[in-house]
Amino acid sequence: MSFKKYIKAVGTGPKGNRDLAEAEVIDAIELILENKVTQAQIGAFLIAWRTKLETDDELTAAVKALKKYIKFTKIENSLELGYSFDGRENNPFLFPLYENILKEFHEKNKDITPLNLVISGDFLQPAKNGLTTKDIFNSIDKGQYVHYFDRIEYLKELSDLTKLREELGLRTVFNTIEKLLNPASSDFGVTAAFHKPYVKKYIAMFKEYYKDVIVLKGAEGSPEVFSNGKYWEEVDGQVIEIQFSLSDFGITYDKTYENISLEEALEIVKNPSDEILKLAKFNIALYLVFAQRVNNLEDAWKRLN
């Protein structure tokens, strides 16, 4: 089928636009990833589709299309942390601290099944500047419990679209679907959302690939929290909301940065303050709950301390 038909379907305007069927979405994504259409056609389609607003069914089909191209490497007993692929400017990354926290935790809690964390990264994607998980992982040592997957290795076809996406300079469908593609075949997945409508979208898109998917109100589109927040999960077909307050765990943190540099971010985790360490532990407590290693945050926090 001509790719122009897909551009017309999403880019004609409010009266002429229509939703794409699953087979059409899959075909369009395959044509894009395999470079069987021009860069101009790809750009026109992605922007028009975003303007039309992708439906939940279209997003789910797009995820299904990408799965065909992923090189999977199984990490047992793992939770995937779905970080955004655009930049972080206002907070350091906490995950460099997770390795030692998990090592100490599992040495003291032999009754708990080990928890591995999986993080993916790539070159900076639009629509904002800043640091990426790839920047950090290229600067730290690898460990036993935190595993990094570089997209240029597990999904090169999507990584190769980086230049085009930079030229567009706008969010596209790929920004929405790329955070939880599960290259490690993890049992559990957690990602972040700023806007509540996206909670149901993320759960609908990814739930068939995990035992459970949790959506967290995290910092800068990442599954890391630096302040009071909430998370959502689907229970018996209903999306429930659970709130938490850092003060309940003795954490008071109000530090913010502006255009944090790689050097600053690395120094913070190389010589962490007590509050940064508490924050990192609290995030691990959340992950232990999400991965069903403990029953609640209070139990996780007690064991971690």
PDB file of all heavy atoms in Angstrom, residues 153-180:
ATOM      1  N   GLU A 153      21.954  -0.792  20.066  1.00  0.00           N
ATOM      2  CA  GLU A 153      22.236  -2.224  20.005  1.00  0.00           C
ATOM      3  C   GLU A 153      20.964  -3.061  19.974  1.00  0.00           C
ATOM      4  O   GLU A 153      20.914  -4.082  19.277  1.00  0.00           O
ATOM      5  CB  GLU A 153      23.093  -2.631  21.205  1.00  0.00           C
ATOM      6  CG  GLU A 153      24.468  -1.963  21.233  1.00  0.00           C
ATOM      7  CD  GLU A 153      25.234  -2.276  22.502  1.00  0.00           C
ATOM      8  OE1 GLU A 153      24.668  -2.943  23.394  1.00  0.00           O
ATOM      9  OE2 GLU A 153      26.402  -1.850  22.610  1.00  0.00           O
ATOM     10  N   TYR A 154      19.935  -2.662  20.723  1.00  0.00           N
ATOM     11  CA  TYR A 154      18.744  -3.522  20.769  1.00  0.00           C
ATOM     12  C   TYR A 154      17.627  -3.075  19.821  1.00  0.00           C
ATOM     13  O   TYR A 154      16.718  -3.849  19.515  1.00  0.00           O
ATOM     14  CB  TYR A 154      18.199  -3.658  22.202  1.00  0.00           C
ATOM     15  CG  TYR A 154      17.495  -2.435  22.759  1.00  0.00           C
ATOM     16  CD1 TYR A 154      16.160  -2.176  22.477  1.00  0.00           C
ATOM     17  CD2 TYR A 154      18.158  -1.557  23.616  1.00  0.00           C
ATOM     18  CE1 TYR A 154      15.510  -1.071  23.004  1.00  0.00           C
ATOM     19  CE2 TYR A 154      17.518  -0.451  24.150  1.00  0.00           C
ATOM     20  CZ  TYR A 154      16.189  -0.215  23.838  1.00  0.00           C
ATOM     21  OH  TYR A 154      15.553   0.883  24.365  1.00  0.00           O
ATOM     22  N   LEU A 155      17.680  -1.837  19.312  1.00  0.00           N
ATOM     23  CA  LEU A 155      16.670  -1.369  18.362  1.00  0.00           C
ATOM     24  C   LEU A 155      17.286  -0.264  17.497  1.00  0.00           C
ATOM     25  O   LEU A 155      16.906   0.896  17.555  1.00  0.00           O
ATOM     26  CB  LEU A 155      15.424  -0.863  19.099  1.00  0.00           C
ATOM     27  CG  LEU A 155      14.212  -0.436  18.260  1.00  0.00           C
ATOM     28  CD1 LEU A 155      13.841  -1.499  17.229  1.00  0.00           C
ATOM     29  CD2 LEU A 155      13.021  -0.130  19.161  1.00  0.00           C
ATOM     30  N   LYS A 156      18.255  -0.661  16.682  1.00  0.00           N
ATOM     31  CA  LYS A 156      19.031   0.291  15.887  1.00  0.00           C
ATOM     32  C   LYS A 156      18.139   1.066  14.921  1.00  0.00           C
ATOM     33  O   LYS A 156      18.387   2.247  14.639  1.00  0.00           O
ATOM     34  CB  LYS A 156      20.130  -0.437  15.120  1.00  0.00           C
ATOM     35  CG  LYS A 156      21.081   0.493  14.366  1.00  0.00           C
ATOM     36  CD  LYS A 156      22.200  -0.291  13.707  1.00  0.00           C
ATOM     37  CE  LYS A 156      23.214   0.652  13.052  1.00  0.00           C
ATOM     38  NZ  LYS A 156      22.616   1.439  11.948  1.00  0.00           N
ATOM     39  N   GLU A 157      17.105   0.410  14.418  1.00  0.00           N
ATOM     40  CA  GLU A 157      16.237   1.061  13.444  1.00  0.00           C
ATOM     41  C   GLU A 157      15.596   2.331  14.017  1.00  0.00           C
ATOM     42  O   GLU A 157      15.459   3.338  13.315  1.00  0.00           O
ATOM     43  CB  GLU A 157      15.142   0.098  12.959  1.00  0.00           C
ATOM     44  CG  GLU A 157      15.647  -1.073  12.137  1.00  0.00           C
ATOM     45  CD  GLU A 157      16.169  -2.229  12.989  1.00  0.00           C
ATOM     46  OE1 GLU A 157      16.185  -2.090  14.240  1.00  0.00           O
ATOM     47  OE2 GLU A 157      16.553  -3.254  12.418  1.00  0.00           O
ATOM     48  N   LEU A 158      15.223   2.285  15.292  1.00  0.00           N
ATOM     49  CA  LEU A 158      14.636   3.469  15.916  1.00  0.00           C
ATOM     50  C   LEU A 158      15.714   4.479  16.287  1.00  0.00           C
ATOM     51  O   LEU A 158      15.533   5.685  16.123  1.00  0.00           O
ATOM     52  CB  LEU A 158      13.839   3.072  17.161  1.00  0.00           C
ATOM     53  CG  LEU A 158      13.099   4.205  17.882  1.00  0.00           C
ATOM     54  CD1 LEU A 158      12.207   4.988  16.927  1.00  0.00           C
ATOM     55  CD2 LEU A 158      12.282   3.644  19.049  1.00  0.00           C
ATOM     56  N   SER A 159      16.846   3.992  16.771  1.00  0.00           N
ATOM     57  CA  SER A 159      17.959   4.891  17.085  1.00  0.00           C
ATOM     58  C   SER A 159      18.392   5.678  15.854  1.00  0.00           C
ATOM     59  O   SER A 159      18.742   6.862  15.942  1.00  0.00           O
ATOM     60  CB  SER A 159      19.137   4.094  17.647  1.00  0.00           C
ATOM     61  OG  SER A 159      20.209   4.943  17.989  1.00  0.00           O
ATOM     62  N   ASP A 160      18.354   5.040  14.690  1.00  0.00           N
ATOM     63  CA  ASP A 160      18.788   5.689  13.459  1.00  0.00           C
ATOM     64  C   ASP A 160      17.865   6.826  13.035  1.00  0.00           C
ATOM     65  O   ASP A 160      18.231   7.612  12.144  1.00  0.00           O
ATOM     66  CB  ASP A 160      18.880   4.661  12.319  1.00  0.00           C
ATOM     67  CG  ASP A 160      20.090   3.747  12.456  1.00  0.00           C
ATOM     68  OD1 ASP A 160      20.984   4.056  13.268  1.00  0.00           O
ATOM     69  OD2 ASP A 160      20.136   2.711  11.766  1.00  0.00           O
ATOM     70  N   LEU A 161      16.702   6.935  13.638  1.00  0.00           N
ATOM     71  CA  LEU A 161      15.787   8.028  13.330  1.00  0.00           C
ATOM     72  C   LEU A 161      16.095   9.290  14.134  1.00  0.00           C
ATOM     73  O   LEU A 161      15.412  10.311  13.989  1.00  0.00           O
ATOM     74  CB  LEU A 161      14.335   7.612  13.605  1.00  0.00           C
ATOM     75  CG  LEU A 161      13.704   6.634  12.612  1.00  0.00           C
ATOM     76  CD1 LEU A 161      12.316   6.223  13.103  1.00  0.00           C
ATOM     77  CD2 LEU A 161      13.616   7.254  11.221  1.00  0.00           C
ATOM     78  N   THR A 162      17.113   9.229  14.983  1.00  0.00           N
ATOM     79  CA  THR A 162      17.425  10.358  15.864  1.00  0.00           C
ATOM     80  C   THR A 162      17.651  11.657  15.084  1.00  0.00           C
ATOM     81  O   THR A 162      17.119  12.713  15.448  1.00  0.00           O
ATOM     82  CB  THR A 162      18.662  10.040  16.719  1.00  0.00           C
ATOM     83  OG1 THR A 162      18.370   8.936  17.578  1.00  0.00           O
ATOM     84  CG2 THR A 162      19.049  11.243  17.571  1.00  0.00           C
ATOM     85  N   LYS A 163      18.430  11.613  14.021  1.00  0.00           N
ATOM     86  CA  LYS A 163      18.732  12.837  13.276  1.00  0.00           C
ATOM     87  C   LYS A 163      17.464  13.463  12.723  1.00  0.00           C
ATOM     88  O   LYS A 163      17.260  14.684  12.820  1.00  0.00           O
ATOM     89  CB  LYS A 163      19.713  12.539  12.142  1.00  0.00           C
ATOM     90  CG  LYS A 163      20.126  13.783  11.369  1.00  0.00           C
ATOM     91  CD  LYS A 163      21.151  13.460  10.281  1.00  0.00           C
ATOM     92  CE  LYS A 163      21.526  14.730   9.516  1.00  0.00           C
ATOM     93  NZ  LYS A 163      22.521  14.439   8.435  1.00  0.00           N
ATOM     94  N   LEU A 164      16.594  12.639  12.137  1.00  0.00           N
ATOM     95  CA  LEU A 164      15.340  13.161  11.603  1.00  0.00           C
ATOM     96  C   LEU A 164      14.483  13.760  12.707  1.00  0.00           C
ATOM     97  O   LEU A 164      13.904  14.847  12.550  1.00  0.00           O
ATOM     98  CB  LEU A 164      14.571  12.046  10.892  1.00  0.00           C
ATOM     99  CG  LEU A 164      13.148  12.411  10.429  1.00  0.00           C
ATOM    100  CD1 LEU A 164      13.194  13.530   9.399  1.00  0.00           C
ATOM    101  CD2 LEU A 164      12.436  11.193   9.872  1.00  0.00           C
ATOM    102  N   ARG A 165      14.400  13.075  13.841  1.00  0.00           N
ATOM    103  CA  ARG A 165      13.597  13.579  14.945  1.00  0.00           C
ATOM    104  C   ARG A 165      14.147  14.898  15.479  1.00  0.00           C
ATOM    105  O   ARG A 165      13.396  15.785  15.873  1.00  0.00           O
ATOM    106  CB  ARG A 165      13.519  12.516  16.057  1.00  0.00           C
ATOM    107  CG  ARG A 165      12.734  11.281  15.635  1.00  0.00           C
ATOM    108  CD  ARG A 165      12.816  10.171  16.665  1.00  0.00           C
ATOM    109  NE  ARG A 165      12.158  10.558  17.908  1.00  0.00           N
ATOM    110  CZ  ARG A 165      12.118   9.784  19.000  1.00  0.00           C
ATOM    111  NH1 ARG A 165      12.716   8.591  18.987  1.00  0.00           N
ATOM    112  NH2 ARG A 165      11.498  10.190  20.079  1.00  0.00           N
ATOM    113  N   GLU A 166      15.474  15.026  15.477  1.00  0.00           N
ATOM    114  CA  GLU A 166      16.087  16.290  15.889  1.00  0.00           C
ATOM    115  C   GLU A 166      15.728  17.411  14.917  1.00  0.00           C
ATOM    116  O   GLU A 166      15.473  18.549  15.322  1.00  0.00           O
ATOM    117  CB  GLU A 166      17.601  16.132  15.974  1.00  0.00           C
ATOM    118  CG  GLU A 166      18.073  15.295  17.151  1.00  0.00           C
ATOM    119  CD  GLU A 166      19.572  15.088  17.127  1.00  0.00           C
ATOM    120  OE1 GLU A 166      20.195  15.348  16.064  1.00  0.00           O
ATOM    121  OE2 GLU A 166      20.129  14.655  18.150  1.00  0.00           O
ATOM    122  N   GLU A 167      15.718  17.101  13.630  1.00  0.00           N
ATOM    123  CA  GLU A 167      15.377  18.111  12.630  1.00  0.00           C
ATOM    124  C   GLU A 167      13.921  18.548  12.773  1.00  0.00           C
ATOM    125  O   GLU A 167      13.601  19.730  12.602  1.00  0.00           O
ATOM    126  CB  GLU A 167      15.641  17.570  11.226  1.00  0.00           C
ATOM    127  CG  GLU A 167      17.125  17.402  10.906  1.00  0.00           C
ATOM    128  CD  GLU A 167      17.362  16.757   9.555  1.00  0.00           C
ATOM    129  OE1 GLU A 167      16.380  16.293   8.938  1.00  0.00           O
ATOM    130  OE2 GLU A 167      18.534  16.703   9.122  1.00  0.00           O
ATOM    131  N   LEU A 168      13.040  17.605  13.101  1.00  0.00           N
ATOM    132  CA  LEU A 168      11.637  17.949  13.322  1.00  0.00           C
ATOM    133  C   LEU A 168      11.501  18.810  14.575  1.00  0.00           C
ATOM    134  O   LEU A 168      10.714  19.758  14.605  1.00  0.00           O
ATOM    135  CB  LEU A 168      10.791  16.686  13.451  1.00  0.00           C
ATOM    136  CG  LEU A 168      10.680  15.789  12.215  1.00  0.00           C
ATOM    137  CD1 LEU A 168       9.864  14.541  12.545  1.00  0.00           C
ATOM    138  CD2 LEU A 168      10.043  16.551  11.055  1.00  0.00           C
ATOM    139  N   GLY A 169      12.252  18.465  15.613  1.00  0.00           N
ATOM    140  CA  GLY A 169      12.257  19.244  16.845  1.00  0.00           C
ATOM    141  C   GLY A 169      10.975  19.180  17.630  1.00  0.00           C
ATOM    142  O   GLY A 169      10.734  20.007  18.521  1.00  0.00           O
ATOM    143  N   LEU A 170      10.122  18.215  17.337  1.00  0.00           N
ATOM    144  CA  LEU A 170       8.818  18.101  17.990  1.00  0.00           C
ATOM    145  C   LEU A 170       8.628  16.683  18.519  1.00  0.00           C
ATOM    146  O   LEU A 170       9.230  15.730  18.038  1.00  0.00           O
ATOM    147  CB  LEU A 170       7.691  18.401  16.993  1.00  0.00           C
ATOM    148  CG  LEU A 170       7.671  19.792  16.365  1.00  0.00           C
ATOM    149  CD1 LEU A 170       6.636  19.826  15.229  1.00  0.00           C
ATOM    150  CD2 LEU A 170       7.352  20.847  17.406  1.00  0.00           C
ATOM    151  N   ARG A 171       7.764  16.570  19.516  1.00  0.00           N
ATOM    152  CA  ARG A 171       7.401  15.246  19.992  1.00  0.00           C
ATOM    153  C   ARG A 171       6.602  14.525  18.908  1.00  0.00           C
ATOM    154  O   ARG A 171       5.798  15.130  18.198  1.00  0.00           O
ATOM    155  CB  ARG A 171       6.565  15.341  21.265  1.00  0.00           C
ATOM    156  CG  ARG A 171       7.324  15.895  22.459  1.00  0.00           C
ATOM    157  CD  ARG A 171       6.444  15.951  23.698  1.00  0.00           C
ATOM    158  NE  ARG A 171       6.054  14.610  24.129  1.00  0.00           N
ATOM    159  CZ  ARG A 171       6.793  13.815  24.900  1.00  0.00           C
ATOM    160  NH1 ARG A 171       7.975  14.238  25.324  1.00  0.00           N
ATOM    161  NH2 ARG A 171       6.365  12.630  25.247  1.00  0.00           N
ATOM    162  N   THR A 172       6.848  13.229  18.783  1.00  0.00           N
ATOM    163  CA  THR A 172       6.093  12.399  17.851  1.00  0.00           C
ATOM    164  C   THR A 172       5.605  11.162  18.593  1.00  0.00           C
ATOM    165  O   THR A 172       5.818  11.024  19.807  1.00  0.00           O
ATOM    166  CB  THR A 172       6.959  11.961  16.651  1.00  0.00           C
ATOM    167  OG1 THR A 172       7.974  11.043  17.119  1.00  0.00           O
ATOM    168  CG2 THR A 172       7.622  13.156  15.982  1.00  0.00           C
ATOM    169  N   VAL A 173       4.987  10.263  17.873  1.00  0.00           N
ATOM    170  CA  VAL A 173       4.491   9.031  18.484  1.00  0.00           C
ATOM    171  C   VAL A 173       5.608   8.275  19.193  1.00  0.00           C
ATOM    172  O   VAL A 173       5.378   7.623  20.223  1.00  0.00           O
ATOM    173  CB  VAL A 173       3.829   8.131  17.412  1.00  0.00           C
ATOM    174  CG1 VAL A 173       4.849   7.675  16.376  1.00  0.00           C
ATOM    175  CG2 VAL A 173       3.136   6.934  18.048  1.00  0.00           C
ATOM    176  N   PHE A 174       6.839   8.386  18.699  1.00  0.00           N
ATOM    177  CA  PHE A 174       7.936   7.627  19.288  1.00  0.00           C
ATOM    178  C   PHE A 174       8.253   8.089  20.706  1.00  0.00           C
ATOM    179  O   PHE A 174       8.659   7.288  21.549  1.00  0.00           O
ATOM    180  CB  PHE A 174       9.175   7.695  18.400  1.00  0.00           C
ATOM    181  CG  PHE A 174       8.996   7.005  17.078  1.00  0.00           C
ATOM    182  CD1 PHE A 174       9.127   7.705  15.883  1.00  0.00           C
ATOM    183  CD2 PHE A 174       8.678   5.652  17.020  1.00  0.00           C
ATOM    184  CE1 PHE A 174       8.942   7.069  14.658  1.00  0.00           C
ATOM    185  CE2 PHE A 174       8.494   5.008  15.801  1.00  0.00           C
ATOM    186  CZ  PHE A 174       8.626   5.728  14.619  1.00  0.00           C
ATOM    187  N   ASN A 175       8.070   9.385  20.997  1.00  0.00           N
ATOM    188  CA  ASN A 175       8.278   9.865  22.366  1.00  0.00           C
ATOM    189  C   ASN A 175       7.319   9.190  23.335  1.00  0.00           C
ATOM    190  O   ASN A 175       7.644   8.975  24.499  1.00  0.00           O
ATOM    191  CB  ASN A 175       8.085  11.377  22.434  1.00  0.00           C
ATOM    192  CG  ASN A 175       9.155  12.146  21.695  1.00  0.00           C
ATOM    193  OD1 ASN A 175       9.109  12.237  20.472  1.00  0.00           O
ATOM    194  ND2 ASN A 175      10.112  12.691  22.416  1.00  0.00           N
ATOM    195  N   THR A 176       6.134   8.866  22.855  1.00  0.00           N
ATOM    196  CA  THR A 176       5.116   8.265  23.710  1.00  0.00           C
ATOM    197  C   THR A 176       5.359   6.783  23.946  1.00  0.00           C
ATOM    198  O   THR A 176       5.159   6.291  25.054  1.00  0.00           O
ATOM    199  CB  THR A 176       3.717   8.468  23.089  1.00  0.00           C
ATOM    200  OG1 THR A 176       3.483   9.864  22.895  1.00  0.00           O
ATOM    201  CG2 THR A 176       2.634   7.897  23.985  1.00  0.00           C
ATOM    202  N   ILE A 177       5.824   6.074  22.934  1.00  0.00           N
ATOM    203  CA  ILE A 177       5.856   4.618  23.025  1.00  0.00           C
ATOM    204  C   ILE A 177       7.230   4.031  23.339  1.00  0.00           C
ATOM    205  O   ILE A 177       7.338   2.829  23.603  1.00  0.00           O
ATOM    206  CB  ILE A 177       5.335   3.969  21.730  1.00  0.00           C
ATOM    207  CG1 ILE A 177       6.265   4.268  20.550  1.00  0.00           C
ATOM    208  CG2 ILE A 177       3.917   4.435  21.442  1.00  0.00           C
ATOM    209  CD1 ILE A 177       5.852   3.583  19.251  1.00  0.00           C
ATOM    210  N   GLU A 178       8.288   4.854  23.356  1.00  0.00           N
ATOM    211  CA  GLU A 178       9.638   4.286  23.406  1.00  0.00           C
ATOM    212  C   GLU A 178      10.140   3.956  24.803  1.00  0.00           C
ATOM    213  O   GLU A 178      11.168   3.294  24.947  1.00  0.00           O
ATOM    214  CB  GLU A 178      10.624   5.243  22.737  1.00  0.00           C
ATOM    215  CG  GLU A 178      10.802   6.587  23.436  1.00  0.00           C
ATOM    216  CD  GLU A 178      11.590   7.589  22.593  1.00  0.00           C
ATOM    217  OE1 GLU A 178      12.112   7.208  21.531  1.00  0.00           O
ATOM    218  OE2 GLU A 178      11.667   8.758  22.998  1.00  0.00           O
ATOM    219  N   LYS A 179       9.443   4.379  25.850  1.00  0.00           N
ATOM    220  CA  LYS A 179      10.023   4.285  27.199  1.00  0.00           C
ATOM    221  C   LYS A 179       9.959   2.889  27.824  1.00  0.00           C
ATOM    222  O   LYS A 179      10.757   2.576  28.704  1.00  0.00           O
ATOM    223  CB  LYS A 179       9.323   5.284  28.135  1.00  0.00           C
ATOM    224  CG  LYS A 179       9.553   6.732  27.753  1.00  0.00           C
ATOM    225  CD  LYS A 179       9.271   7.680  28.896  1.00  0.00           C
ATOM    226  CE  LYS A 179       7.816   7.751  29.258  1.00  0.00           C
ATOM    227  NZ  LYS A 179       7.543   8.744  30.322  1.00  0.00           N
ATOM    228  N   LEU A 180       9.010   2.066  27.390  1.00  0.00           N
ATOM    229  CA  LEU A 180       8.854   0.747  28.025  1.00  0.00           C
ATOM    230  C   LEU A 180       8.761  -0.353  26.967  1.00  0.00           C
ATOM    231  O   LEU A 180       7.785  -1.102  26.929  1.00  0.00           O
ATOM    232  CB  LEU A 180       7.600   0.716  28.907  1.00  0.00           C
ATOM    233  CG  LEU A 180       7.715   1.182  30.356  1.00  0.00           C
ATOM    234  CD1 LEU A 180       6.394   0.949  31.091  1.00  0.00           C
ATOM    235  CD2 LEU A 180       8.840   0.476  31.097  1.00  0.00           C
TER     236      LEU A 180
END
